[in-house]
Amino acid sequence: MKRVLGALLAGVIWAAAASAETRVSIAYFHVDVPDPPTLSNLDPAPDDLGPAGAELGRLENDTTGKFLGQTYQLEVVSVAPDEDVIAAAASLLGAHRLVLLDAPADHLLEIADLPEAEGALLFNVSAEDVSLRDAMCRAHLLHTIPSYAMRADALMQFLTKRRWTDWVLIAGTQDRDLAFAEALKASSDKFRLRLRGEKTWTFDADMRRNAAQEVPLFTQDFRDHQILLIADEIGDFGRYIAYNTWEPRPVGGSEGIQPRAWSPVVEQWGAAQLQGRFSDLAGRSMRSRDYAAWAAVRSIGEAVTRTGQADAQVLRDYILSDAFELAGFKGQPMSYRGWNGQLRQPIPLVHARAVVALAPLDGFLHERGPLDTLGVDRPESACTAFEEQK
């Protein structure tokens, strides 16, 4: 009899736990836009770039969630740009209210404006366009990847700290190159540094053989400067600039000293342990897009843990509140800007072997906190969607 009662009691407890279980369904929507061809194929993009970070976030959410009756599911959908991207996104949004978007800015806006996206919570994990956090912002679209402006400000803080007040620029012709170059120039004005010259990289010769002859001549007529910055976001020509310039100067930007969301050389603040967990999962090092996807999924997990709910609107409200914090393994808690949805985060300045500095650097202050010294600040922003949502 006691065994029967015990079994019945256990069944009641299990049923109660099951009925209280919170199921959190997350989707990762990837538009597979191939990068243009580059001179070198030494650094091919991994096939799981982004989704691997999201999966690590899901596993970490599950570790905590199993004690709270929370389970997390992740569905990854990838479409080619010649497919009907918007129809695929609409179909996905019909089944998921929590969606990570890995797509160019124009697709992001189309997806965010779909009727099916109403009431959903979207995370941009790849597009760095400043406009998405500015005039083109959407109240239900948050950003875990830093903007070009945030990365540029991190680098300009470093130049200011070093008193490297004069710089020159070589930019590529791809859209991402031009966007980063514009962000660098805007940030230079913000920090009152001097751009002493700029050139566009248009060589079609094989720099693997010709860099030692061509690059010195290409950089010979630059005015005096302390550092040469490169805007080469697809990794085409920048690697051939260092040590071939006419004047012996450091390089930075897309090569040399680089501002990134994440890098394998970040080791402090528990980062080495995060790197190890990712490496065990994916068999490679974590990259910036992986980190952005991980941060998005972990943001969802943190909000579900604190609210006990999986409703997209409830999670959005909590994530954008002052109560939200995310431990991002970059030295200080991270939160979201409630006026444009951007994740506040430190920006490591790195080279291939080590961290050079972590922005925001000491001495750069803001009334809310130093992290808001990176990127377009609220008074300069044309984003109004978040105010209208309140």
Side-chain angles (χ1 to χ4, degrees), residues 331-343:
Q332 53 186 301
M334 305 192 306
S335 62
Y336 286 81
R337 291 172 179 153
W339 47 274
N340 73 349
Q342 173 65 55
L343 179 65

Side-chain angles (χ1 to χ4, degrees), residues 168-170 196-199 201 203 211-225 228 241 244-249:
V168 295
L169 172 68
I170 299 176
R196 307 289 283 181
E198 60 181 302
K199 291 190 173 186
W201 185 269
F203 286 89
Q213 290 77 40
E214 299 291 350
V215 174
L217 295 176
F218 187 64
T219 58
Q220 183 176 5
D221 58 350
F222 274 135
R223 297 172 67 184
D224 191 35
H225 56 279
L228 185 156
I241 302 297
N244 282 315
T245 55
W246 182 262
E247 295 287 346
R249 297 291 184 267

